[in-house]
Amino acid sequence: MIQEPVVQEPAARQGGRQRDPATDAAIIEAVLDMVAAGATLTGLSLVAIAKQAGVSRNSVYRRWKTKDELYLDVLATINEPRPAPDGAGTREDLAAVLRTLADRVVDERASSVLRALNAEAATFPRLHRRYFEEIVAPRREAMTAVLRRGVERGELRDDVDLDLVAELLVSPLLARMASGSTDHLDPVRDTRRIVDLVLRGAGAP
């Protein structure tokens, strides 16, 4: 991948400069808006992002030298932490974990970035790896922990394949995200429906 040239700030303006959070946010918002409008991660340039954000290109280059670095912060923005399951019961806890994914799926800008990232994984391997490490892996771990507690409580069969159950739970949402058909997806209602359907097969007799 060809990196864009770094625009150097005049020496008198470099030392001690504090980053403006509002400018950071405007640049990240610009990326989210442009990808949601159909831009690819590969096709975007830092210059175009600066124009969309209404800031100088030097404002972007001072913060992020490459698109990879900027996209890492975009990814962190859409990976806002969600409350952990409170242990009330397997059904409620699974719905809570699944809701974190559903919320991203119905967020048009977040799901657009994730679709673009999956489509361009070979171009941005570091970014894709971080996506799995910081978004996918923690969700899988949380869901597996809930399922394991369900087995211990006798709410799930002890012969059930927990990894398969976890995949069955997330697959409908991932399919919606991949296709972009999220208009009628309700995170609360539909996560409960998915959990109910899967637990009919995995629940203890």
Side-chain angles (χ1 to χ4, degrees), residues 58-89:
N58 281 352
S59 293
V60 179
Y61 283 118
R62 276 198 304 268
R63 291 162 170 80
W64 301 282
K65 304 306 182 186
T66 67
K67 289 192 293 184
D68 282 74
E69 294 175 2
L70 170 55
Y71 293 157
L72 286 173
D73 281 352
V74 172
L75 190 62
T77 298
I78 65 175
N79 187 30
E80 296 179 357
R82 302 285 180 177
D86 60 12

Side-chain angles (χ1 to χ4, degrees), residues 9-17:
E9 277 289 299
R13 300 177 61 189
Q14 288 181 348
R17 177 180 292 274

Side-chain angles (χ1 to χ4, degrees), residues 38-177:
T40 63
L41 299 178
T42 305
L44 283 178
S45 70
L46 294 181
V47 173
I49 293 167
K51 183 178 180 180
Q52 174 76 14
V55 302
S56 70
R57 61 177 182 171
N58 281 352
S59 293
V60 179
Y61 283 118
R62 276 198 304 268
R63 291 162 170 80
W64 301 282
K65 304 306 182 186
T66 67
K67 289 192 293 184
D68 282 74
E69 294 175 2
L70 170 55
Y71 293 157
L72 286 173
D73 281 352
V74 172
L75 190 62
T77 298
I78 65 175
N79 187 30
E80 296 179 357
R82 302 285 180 177
D86 60 12
T90 302
R91 189 179 305 276
E92 292 299 318
D93 287 353
L94 285 176
V97 174
L98 202 58
R99 171 76 182 273
T100 65
L101 175 59
D103 285 341
R104 289 194 186 97
V105 170
V106 298
D107 183 329
E108 181 182 356
R109 299 192 306 170
S111 59
S112 293
V113 168
L114 295 178
R115 284 198 302 272
L117 176 57
N118 283 319
E120 302 173 69
T123 305
F124 300 98
R126 179 184 172 211
L127 185 66
H128 198 256
R129 182 170 62 251
R130 180 164 170 177
Y131 163 60
F132 270 86
E133 290 173 351
E134 297 190 3
I135 294 181
V136 176
R139 186 192 68 225
R140 285 179 176 173
E141 291 170 3
M143 188 165 289
T144 301
V146 171
L147 292 170
R148 192 176 297 113
R149 287 197 299 270
V151 172
E152 294 169 354
R153 290 168 171 165
E155 296 174 344
L156 298 177
R157 301 200 319 266
D158 58 10
D159 63 342
V160 72
D161 185 330
L162 299 186
D163 290 333
L164 178 58
V165 172
E167 290 175 2
L168 291 172
L169 288 165
V170 302
S171 292
L173 296 177
L174 294 179
R176 289 286 193 96
M177 184 173 71

